[in-house]
Amino acid sequence: MLAEYLRQHLGEQRRRIVIPASTWGALAEHVTNADDKMRTCAAASDRLLHDYVLRALPTEHPGVVVDTFVAARLASLLEAHDRADDAAAFLRPYAAAEDAVAVLLAQLLARHGREADLYALADANHAVARWLAEWLTGQGRDHDLRARIDAGDAAAAAWLARLDIDRLAHLGRENEALALLRPRADAGDSAARRHLISVMVQADRAEEAIAFLRDRADAGDTGAATELDYLLADHGHEAELRARADAGSRSAGLALARRLTAQGQEDDALAVLRPLADADGYGPAMVLAELLAKCGYETELRLRGDPPAFMYLAKLLREQGRADELRAGADAGDSHCARELVGLLADQGQVKELRARVDWGDPPAAPPADRGAEAGGPRGRGRPGPPLRVATAG
């Protein structure tokens, strides 16, 4: 018991260590390992220390696995500082290994008119090719879309075929549209299955869609089973949905909770969600935390103590205008509190404090007495930043 107490107590003390400006500068300038640089950047970005992020961003990425959210956040920071080329160079090595990052890079290239690079990226990545086809359609550039099809872009061809099917359905020719989709859906094409269900539902043939998905789910298609659960919820098949949830279907439980919430039965929904969150990780925990915050169940959010609970607790504090508690959390290194505090300051028109936090990552108030020896002026000239949550920085 003593060892456990010491572990928790000392761990809490480490999370509240104040990292002075000189240490941040040394990390930005002298850390050479790319993975360590990424952790330094993520920790600095959590604390809104943008000057250190820009100095510490790695230029090489050998073997580094990047979180998509972190990649987007850091690239967005570079772009906001008129460094779009640097943002693209930062994302490119990660894009080779992660489709979501590749699409982020494609969006960046499109925003800055670098279409040659965008097309080259699409040629090498199917996810980007799909995104590009949709983007060209949204821009009204059908000629360019057909040119890519003529050049052998399979993703563009599939997107155009989808548009043609949607046009048939829009004209009331849903039987023709379904005839084109059903063979592919029967063969296990998940995209065709989702499109088939969409056309059926839009044509007021939801019961037919449910029967199709039920057959596929009974045959072991897990994707169809998930779609079935949400369609059952949307169309009032609550008894069947409960039976599936009781049989252990995670998606049925989540769909049932969503339906109960929509009916104003929040406590019943929470009763469904709690065991799912305890047993099945982040997704159900996120839904549970959101509903707890909506209901104002602050105590349970604090007791759960998982990342989704911390995130929605910070949102709840912002909604209630509890700036002092958000400041305390932000200064202790809680990135959720930091983000919500910035939003609350903006809502309240607190321009002075907002500018200080966004530009320097530091509260405008004088530092506490126990930091007085380190205080000495603006960031970079002796004044420490807010405490770093050391666990974030690795």
Side-chain angles (χ1 to χ4, degrees):
M1 291 181 62
L2 176 61
E4 178 63 17
Y5 168 78
L6 290 173
R7 185 189 69 80
Q8 293 183 8
H9 178 73
L10 294 177
E12 179 64 22
Q13 292 301 312
R14 288 183 70 245
R15 284 194 289 273
R16 295 178 181 274
I17 292 174
V18 175
I19 303 298
S22 57
T23 301
W24 279 112
L27 288 170
E29 297 297 329
H30 299 296
V31 170
T32 58
N33 179 273
D35 199 19
D36 290 340
K37 277 181 171 284
M38 282 299 302
R39 289 198 294 269
T40 299
C41 288
S45 182
D46 281 347
R47 301 302 306 120
L48 307 177
L49 299 172
H50 294 165
D51 48 347
Y52 295 115
V53 176
L54 295 173
R55 288 163 58 187
L57 277 172
T59 56
E60 298 180 358
H61 313 257
V64 179
V65 177
V66 66
D67 178 87
T68 304
F69 175 75
V70 172
R73 186 171 60 187
L74 299 182
S76 177
L77 179 59
L78 286 169
E79 187 180 9
H81 284 75
D82 297 322
R83 293 173 57 182
D85 288 344
D86 289 339
F90 167 72
L91 289 174
R92 195 175 298 278
Y94 299 118
E98 174 60 57
D99 284 348
V101 179
V103 172
L104 289 175
L105 176 58
Q107 293 167 344
L108 174 70
L109 296 173
R111 283 194 298 273
H112 293 274
R114 294 174 52 176
E115 292 196 7
D117 291 338
L118 174 58
Y119 279 33
L121 183 64
D123 290 342
N125 185 290
H126 188 72
V128 173
R130 289 199 305 270
W131 180 86
L132 175 59
E134 296 182 36
W135 182 75
L136 290 172
T137 301
Q139 298 289 312
R141 295 169 56 177
D142 291 348
H143 176 77
D144 292 333
L145 179 63
R146 292 186 180 277
R148 287 196 60 80
I149 293 171
D150 292 342
D153 186 336
W159 175 249
L160 184 60
R162 179 184 179 91
L163 293 179
D164 289 340
I165 290 170
D166 285 341
R167 291 188 185 103
L168 286 173
H170 182 71
L171 293 171
R173 297 162 61 185
E174 62 268 9
N175 286 335
E176 295 175 60
L178 294 174
L180 292 171
L181 287 166
R182 192 179 290 273
R184 291 165 48 206
D186 288 338
D189 185 328
S190 59
R193 182 191 69 236
R194 290 190 295 270
H195 198 182
L196 178 78
I197 297 306
S198 175
V199 172
M200 286 179 173
V201 170
Q202 290 176 16
D204 294 325
R205 295 165 64 170
E207 294 305 317
E208 184 178 349
I210 287 172
F212 175 83
L213 288 174
R214 194 181 287 124
D215 289 343
R216 296 296 305 170
D218 290 344
D221 187 330
T222 56
T226 298
E227 293 168 32
L228 171 62
D229 290 331
Y230 283 97
L231 202 57
L232 290 171
D234 289 341
H235 293 274
H237 292 249
E238 189 169 317
E240 182 176 357
L241 188 60
R242 282 187 179 276
R244 291 179 58 79
D246 291 342
S249 170
R250 172 182 181 271
S251 57
L254 290 171
L256 177 60
R258 186 178 73 173
R259 178 172 174 80
L260 291 170
T261 301
Q263 294 175 336
Q265 300 172 254
E266 287 88 354
D267 286 336
D268 289 340
L270 290 170
V272 172
L273 288 170
R274 287 187 185 101
L276 286 175
D278 292 340
D280 205 15
Y282 192 83
M286 182 68 75
V287 179
L288 173 61
E290 181 179 10
L291 186 54
L292 288 171
K294 177 184 176 183
C295 295
Y297 292 166
E298 179 180 335
T299 299
E300 185 170 353
L301 281 172
R302 292 184 184 277
L303 289 174
R304 290 198 66 81
D306 53 26
F310 284 134
M311 182 175 76
Y312 277 97
L313 176 60
K315 290 179 181 293
L316 182 62
L317 294 175
R318 174 182 173 180
E319 289 174 4
Q320 296 177 353
R322 293 156 65 178
D324 287 344
E325 291 172 73
L326 287 174
R327 285 189 189 94
D331 292 345
D334 187 320
S335 61
H336 302 305
C337 284
R339 282 193 291 271
E340 297 302 331
L341 175 60
V342 168
L344 180 59
L345 293 173
D347 294 342
Q348 295 177 341
Q350 300 288 339
V351 177
K352 183 178 179 180
E353 183 177 354
L354 180 63
R355 181 176 289 118
R357 284 188 175 271
V358 171
D359 290 347
W360 301 101
D362 199 28
D370 62 349
R371 303 186 207 170
E374 294 180 287
R379 175 62 46 78
R381 293 192 292 275
R383 183 175 178 177
L388 167 67
R389 186 172 57 194
V390 175
T392 303

